[in-house]
Each structure stands twice: as structure tokens, then as C-alpha cells.
Amino acid sequence: QVQLVESGGGLVQSGGSLTLSCAASGAILTIYDMGWYRQAPGNQRELVATITRSGNTNYADFVKGRFTISRDNAKNTVALQMDSLNPEDTAVYYCNANVLTTGSVLRSFWGQGTQVTVSS
């Protein structure tokens, strides 16, 4: 199996910063696209940012200029640097990875989520 574990969430004041990290482990041959998604109470899960193996990025409009996604292919990790946070960013943030497993199966995996709370 493949496991994604997020870390770095917590409580931060408005205007502050947090960096989220996600580490993938298990029966991994290759990880293709990775990304971060978030879900706030009463909202649907929404895309925050994605990144390809080669480093091409895609951001939701509401985080452009504030968040930066990056990855380390050798370590099977992806990170999200979050700056200029505001209370509207409060949500559970989920890591996602599209993984070719050692069983030659391409699947999308999700982490358990990490809580980000921004106080005003």
C-alpha cells in the first residue's frame, strides 16, 4: 500500500505563515502529479495547488502570490508554503498523489488531512 502523511498544520495569526509537508511511502514506483486540497466546514473540497514531476505548478486563484508548492522527487515529498494567511484559509488541508505502485497500478492516494486554523 501507499501512505501519505501530512504535517505542519496548526494555529497561526492572521498575516502569518505555515509550511505543510507530505511524505509518501510504501509500494511506490513513480509519483506523478502531487497536490494540496482543502476543505472548510460547509464547503466542498477544493484544489489549492498541484505540481508535476518536472516542477510545473498550478494554483487556485485565491492563493496565487501567497502560497508556493514544491516537491522533492528523491524523497517522495511535497510541501506547501503558506504566507499572508487569513481566516478564510482555515480548513483541513489534504495531500494528494498520483502513484504508479510496484504492482503496476496507477492510483490516486490521499493523506489523512492536517488542520490549519488562522485566527483574526
Side-chain angles (χ1 to χ4, degrees), residues 3-24:
Q3 185 177 20
L4 304 180
V5 180
E6 300 102 331
S7 62
L11 176 64
V12 65
Q13 293 183 2
S14 182
S17 299
L18 284 174
T19 299
L20 306 182
S21 297
C22 173

Side-chain angles (χ1 to χ4, degrees), residues 2 25-32 53 73 76 98-106:
V2 174
S25 61
I28 299 169
L29 285 178
T30 308
I31 301 180
Y32 293 101
R53 280 190 62 82
N73 292 338
N76 290 333
N98 294 294
V99 181
L100 180 65
T101 70
T102 55
S104 300
V105 176
L106 183 63

Side-chain angles (χ1 to χ4, degrees), residues 16-119:
S17 299
L18 284 174
T19 299
L20 306 182
S21 297
C22 173
S25 61
I28 299 169
L29 285 178
T30 308
I31 301 180
Y32 293 101
D33 292 353
M34 304 185 79
W36 289 94
Y37 297 72
R38 71 186 189 186
Q39 187 167 22
N43 291 1
Q44 292 188 319
R45 187 173 299 185
E46 61 185 352
L47 183 148
V48 177
T50 60
I51 184 168
T52 68
R53 280 190 62 82
S54 62
N56 292 328
T57 58
N58 181 54
Y59 295 95
D61 287 341
F62 55 81
V63 303
K64 286 182 178 178
R66 299 191 298 125
F67 292 6
T68 303
I69 189 171
S70 61
R71 66 187 288 170
D72 186 331
N73 292 338
K75 296 182 178 180
N76 290 333
T77 59
V78 63
L80 185 69
Q81 181 181 346
M82 309 166 67
D83 299 320
S84 301
L85 287 163
N86 58 65
E88 291 71 40
D89 296 315
T90 295
V92 177
Y93 284 71
Y94 296 91
C95 176
N96 174 258
N98 294 294
V99 181
L100 180 65
T101 70
T102 55
S104 300
V105 176
L106 183 63
R107 289 180 55 192
S108 181
F109 293 89
W110 294 90
Q112 80 287 349
T114 185
Q115 177 70 48
V116 172
T117 302
V118 184
S119 64

